[in-house]
């Protein structure tokens, strides 16, 4: 019998692990999106489509500790390993909620209504045109960013902006009153996961290490960010590939 080889996605010094994982994949009922996978006789799950295989359990985490997420995969294509993140109330939270453009707070000078394609604001002089932009609302008007992490992400994409207007790519789906404080944030990945790694026909173990520490420059693919209280392990799978033994462990 062939032993599964290991591909290490994030390199760290050797570390001890807790005796038992904090969570481990246990069949199709232990994932949130079971319609996108098929249960195999060996206990693995086979992707019916290109999909995210995400654990159903919210695993509590401590942002001062390191965690190892691992799984075995076989098939063809590429895989990513990581976690989706949640706040203390188990609401989804992404690093976009943290990556603020400092000093970019401004306020609406007119109400935003459903169907509007322009947001009228006081001043965008501190907005960076080179940053892939998301907007958060109900931001801290003091400029001290006490609202971070801000999960109030505007549900729409930005086409561009001028001194007093922000153009949307599609009509707004929400309403905001005049005076609402908004801020420019850097758009980024919506989960904490590894780069793509090539998979093969044989089972191989892929692992991803999450470590403490954060800098607000967008290069935080393996770091827990402020506000994360729970995570759910995930594997980003290509159609036809199989996964087993997806788990998360704390590194002592």
């Amino acid at each position: 019998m062939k032993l599964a080889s290991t591909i290490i996605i994030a390199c760290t010094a050797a570390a001890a692990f807790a005796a038992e994982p904090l969570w481990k994949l246990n069949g199709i009922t232990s994932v949130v999106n079971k319609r996108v996978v098929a249960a195999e006789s060996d206990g693995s799950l086979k992707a019916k489509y290109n999909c995210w295989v995400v654990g159903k359990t919210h695993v509590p985490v401590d942002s001062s500790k390191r965690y190892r997420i691992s799984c075995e995969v076989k098939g063809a294509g590429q895989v990513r390993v990581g976690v989706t993140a949640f706040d203390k109330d188990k609401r989804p939270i992404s690093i976009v909620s943290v990556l603020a453009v400092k000093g970019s707070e401004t306020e609406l000078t007119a109400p935003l209504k459903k169907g509007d394609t322009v947001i009228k604001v006081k001043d965008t002089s501190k907005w960076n045109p080179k940053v892939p932009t998301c907007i958060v609302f109900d931001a801290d008007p003091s400029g001290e960013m006490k609202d971070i992490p801000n999960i109030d992400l505007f549900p729409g994409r930005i086409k561009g902006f001028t001194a007093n207007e922000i153009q949307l790519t599609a009509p707004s789906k929400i309403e905001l009153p005049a005076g609402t404080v908004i801020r420019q944030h850097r758009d980024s990945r919506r989960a904490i996961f590894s780069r793509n790694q090539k998979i093969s026909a044989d089972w191989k173990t892929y692992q991803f290490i999450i470590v403490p520490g954060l800098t607000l420059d967008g290069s935080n693919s393996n770091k827990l960010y402020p506000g994360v209280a729970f995570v759910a392990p995930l594997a980003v799978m290509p159609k036809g590939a199989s996964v087993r033994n997806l788990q998360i462990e704390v590194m002592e």
Side-chain angles (χ1 to χ4, degrees), residues 3-249:
L3 295 176
S5 58
T6 301
I7 295 180
I8 299 176
I9 298 175
C11 296
T12 65
F17 296 92
E20 294 292 333
L22 301 176
W23 177 90
K24 187 173 183 179
L25 181 67
N26 184 25
I28 197 168
T29 59
S30 62
V31 297
V32 295
N33 45 353
K34 58 186 180 182
R35 288 179 294 180
V36 301
V37 293
E40 302 285 274
S41 59
D42 62 356
S44 65
L45 301 179
K46 187 172 184 178
K48 296 180 181 179
Y49 320 95
N50 295 335
C51 63
W52 289 28
V53 178
V54 184
K56 185 183 290 186
T57 302
H58 294 87
V59 180
V61 291
D62 180 341
S63 61
S64 68
K65 295 183 178 180
R66 295 188 297 166
Y67 296 88
R68 175 182 184 258
I69 300 91
S70 62
C71 63
E72 294 176 71
V73 179
K74 72 173 183 178
Q78 296 180 318
V79 64
R80 287 184 169 187
V81 184
V83 296
T84 55
F86 304 87
D87 69 7
K88 61 182 178 62
D89 297 315
K90 298 183 179 179
R91 298 174 298 181
I93 178 175
S94 77
I95 199 168
V96 178
S97 296
V98 175
L99 297 180
V101 175
K102 189 174 181 179
S104 63
E105 293 83 4
T106 188
E107 64 181 57
L108 272 63
T109 56
L112 174 69
K113 300 177 181 179
K114 290 182 180 179
D116 286 351
T117 56
V118 172
I119 304 175
K120 296 184 181 297
V121 297
K122 185 176 181 180
D123 180 24
T124 64
S125 61
K126 297 295 180 66
W127 285 45
N128 186 341
K130 297 181 180 180
V131 169
T133 297
C134 280
I135 294 174
V136 302
F137 55 92
D138 291 339
D140 175 14
S142 72
E144 297 180 7
M145 300 190 292
K146 294 178 181 179
D147 58 304
I148 286 180
N150 186 324
I151 67 170
D152 292 321
L153 301 180
F154 181 78
R157 294 190 175 276
I158 311 306
K159 183 187 297 183
F161 55 88
T162 59
N164 303 109
E165 292 187 346
I166 301 168
Q167 295 85 34
L168 307 176
T169 60
S172 175
K173 296 180 180 179
I174 66 170
E175 296 185 347
L176 294 173
T180 299
V181 178
I182 65 172
R183 184 174 55 234
Q184 183 186 28
H185 278 223
R186 180 190 298 272
D187 198 3
S188 185
R189 58 180 65 193
R190 302 304 172 101
I192 307 171
F193 49 47
S194 68
R195 67 183 184 275
N196 281 318
Q197 290 291 305
K198 186 176 181 180
I199 58 180
S200 68
D202 296 323
W203 287 110
K204 290 183 179 179
T205 299
Y206 295 80
Q207 72 174 28
F208 181 59
I209 307 299
I210 296 176
V211 300
L214 178 78
T215 56
L216 301 183
D217 60 2
S219 60
N220 300 284
S221 62
N222 69 323
K223 293 180 173 63
L224 287 177
Y225 37 88
V228 177
F230 299 90
V231 298
L234 69 85
V236 183
M237 300 284 293
K239 180 180 179 180
S242 297
V243 60
R244 68 185 184 189
N245 295 330
L246 177 62
Q247 63 182 21
I248 179 171
E249 301 162 279

